[in-house]
Amino acid sequence: MKYILIGGSGFIGNHFINKIKNDIIFNLDLDAGINQINFTSCDILNIDNLNKIDVSQYNDITVIHLAAVHFDFQKYFYETNVEGTKNVLDFISKNDNIKCYVFFSSVATYGNSNYGKDENSKQEPVNDYGKSKLLAEGLIKSWHVKNQNVKLIIVSPAVVFGEYNFGNVFNLINQIRNGLFAVIGNGMNIKSIAYAGNLVDSVMYCINNIKENQFIYNYCDYPQENINSQSLIISKILGKSRPYKIPLWFTKIFTLPIDLIEKLTGTDLKINSMRVKKFTTPTFFLSDKIRSHGYVQNVSINDAYEKTIKWIQNNDVTKLRSIWYNKASKL
């Protein structure tokens, strides 16, 4: 089997290298990024770019669709996540040697989740990222009704972290590392997370072992930990003392002025009322379905944190994050 990565030059694409490096025939993305295996410049918003991709010499191809706009500071959610997906589906329809399509969605399609949502839960997204991903899922499901010759896999990961990622878990680790972290509130809210290596393993497991022609599943790592437990695990690995706790009400005293400064200056000061709300809100999702089909998580939560922390300690993450942010902020 051969693979086409769409949006594969980022950090999840980089984790796919360990599994399918020799079988990636195209990595279609806006720039080469950190995964440069068979990189081909391609904008999925330009259907002509996709139509120029010649896959006629291959017989059995899987398309892994990673390209997405999802950070709070980004803008073009519907263009990339919906219109871009339409173009990818059109590309697949024109190439009958593409036998499998893997779409990376998100648990953001479910909206808030205090008590654990699974694949049967109602999808009620609360932000543009979740709404755009849900629209894309709808497009794909409708398309698949008439394209049963293609195996469809839709995976909805929780917050993904790992080497080369600069999202929420990176910020958490860095704050604990720099002694700038405190648990807000009681810290009992569960935050579902997914180590990129495990996420990739789950996708490869589905491709190779799931026989169903349409398989939709959530992915997060087990065991599920609350933010207090996660911060203790990270602190122990870093050799740091137990984080302090700050009452939730107290944060309002200093976040409101910070919100105002950010609004006036356009500067991201990292600690504001929106991030405090996110930090203290449970984002708890269930990932039992994939496990009921035989998938076994390879990397434990502790080992995943250790791998990520080791990468942070051994690299100039300030420089790397700046490069990443400059690219991501244009989308």
Side-chain angles (χ1 to χ4, degrees):
M1 184 181 295
K2 299 300 180 182
Y3 298 87
I4 297 174
L5 300 184
I6 296 180
S9 64
F11 96 101
I12 295 180
N14 197 51
H15 280 266
F16 270 107
I17 291 177
N18 297 326
K19 302 296 178 181
I20 56 174
K21 179 179 180 179
N22 296 327
D23 293 316
I24 298 173
I25 54 175
F26 289 103
N27 173 21
L28 308 179
D29 213 326
L30 294 174
D31 59 69
I34 56 175
N35 173 20
Q36 300 180 17
I37 301 297
N38 288 331
F39 167 74
T40 301
S41 179
C42 179
D43 182 355
I44 61 171
L45 295 180
N46 186 336
I47 189 63
D48 291 334
N49 280 187
L50 284 167
N51 288 337
K52 290 178 182 178
I53 305 301
D54 183 7
V55 298
S56 58
Q57 63 180 302
Y58 304 101
N59 295 320
D60 190 357
I61 302 171
T62 291
V63 170
I64 300 176
H65 186 169
L66 294 159
V69 170
H70 65 276
F71 290 100
D72 294 334
F73 58 83
Q74 294 178 305
K75 303 174 183 177
Y76 304 111
F77 296 99
Y78 297 93
E79 290 84 348
T80 298
N81 300 348
V82 182
E83 297 304 318
T85 298
K86 285 182 181 179
N87 289 340
V88 170
L89 294 175
D90 185 63
F91 168 71
I92 295 172
S93 298
K94 294 175 181 177
N95 293 279
D96 57 10
N97 48 354
I98 296 176
K99 305 299 184 182
C100 181
Y101 175 47
V102 180
F103 179 74
F104 272 66
S105 187
S106 170
V107 292
T109 62
Y110 296 107
N112 298 324
S113 180
N114 293 337
Y115 304 108
K117 290 186 176 181
D118 63 16
E119 294 82 0
N120 296 316
S121 298
K122 188 174 181 179
Q123 292 173 289
E124 299 176 303
V126 297
N127 57 29
D128 285 330
Y129 174 53
K131 292 174 183 176
S132 62
K133 280 294 188 179
L134 183 57
L135 285 173
E137 284 190 20
L139 285 173
I140 294 166
K141 291 173 184 176
S142 295
W143 169 86
H144 194 235
V145 171
K146 298 180 180 180
N147 292 272
Q148 290 289 302
N149 58 307
V150 180
K151 178 180 177 179
L152 172 64
I153 298 168
I154 298 178
V155 54
S156 293
V159 171
V160 187
F161 75 101
E163 300 90 331
Y164 287 97
N165 176 256
F166 299 103
N168 294 339
V169 175
F170 169 83
N171 291 330
L172 174 62
I173 292 171
N174 236 17
Q175 287 167 8
I176 294 174
R177 182 185 178 206
N178 295 324
L180 301 174
F181 176 78
V183 175
I184 300 173
N186 61 20
M188 299 307 292
N189 51 309
I190 290 177
K191 292 287 187 181
S192 297
I193 57 175
Y195 176 60
N198 288 333
L199 173 59
V200 167
D201 285 343
S202 78
V203 169
M204 297 310 300
Y205 182 86
C206 289
I207 293 171
N208 295 318
N209 297 281
I210 300 296
K211 303 304 180 185
E212 298 172 28
N213 197 41
Q214 181 180 120
F215 190 72
I216 301 171
Y217 74 103
N218 299 339
Y219 187 79
C220 55
D221 287 335
Y222 281 11
Q224 304 266 34
E225 302 282 1
N226 60 45
I227 195 64
N228 188 56
S229 296
Q230 289 184 34
S231 63
L232 287 175
I233 293 170
I234 295 169
S235 297
K236 185 176 181 180
I237 295 171
L238 289 168
K240 300 290 184 178
S241 58
R242 177 188 293 266
Y244 294 105
K245 287 189 176 181
I246 299 176
L248 181 58
W249 62 264
F250 183 74
T251 62
K252 296 180 181 179
I253 297 174
F254 62 84
T255 55
L256 289 177
I258 289 173
D259 290 346
L260 181 59
I261 293 171
E262 287 188 335
K263 185 175 182 179
L264 292 174
T265 64
T267 304
D268 183 1
L269 298 177
K270 311 302 180 191
I271 302 175
N272 53 39
S273 59
M274 180 184 69
R275 282 197 170 91
V276 168
K277 183 178 181 180
K278 281 187 173 182
F279 183 79
T280 55
T281 300
T283 49
F284 178 26
F285 300 92
L286 299 176
S287 182
D288 295 335
K289 182 176 179 179
I290 181 67
R291 288 170 169 81
S292 71
H293 282 72
Y295 166 78
V296 177
Q297 180 179 321
N298 288 323
V299 183
S300 69
I301 290 288
N302 283 50
D303 287 347
Y305 276 135
E306 287 183 355
K307 286 174 178 286
T308 305
I309 289 169
K310 183 178 180 180
W311 173 79
I312 291 173
Q313 292 172 330
N314 292 336
N315 289 274
D316 184 351
V317 292
T318 300
K319 179 180 179 181
L320 291 172
R321 187 189 182 283
S322 178
I323 294 171
W324 163 80
Y325 182 82
N326 287 336
K327 291 179 179 179
S329 60
K330 297 175 183 178
L331 300 175

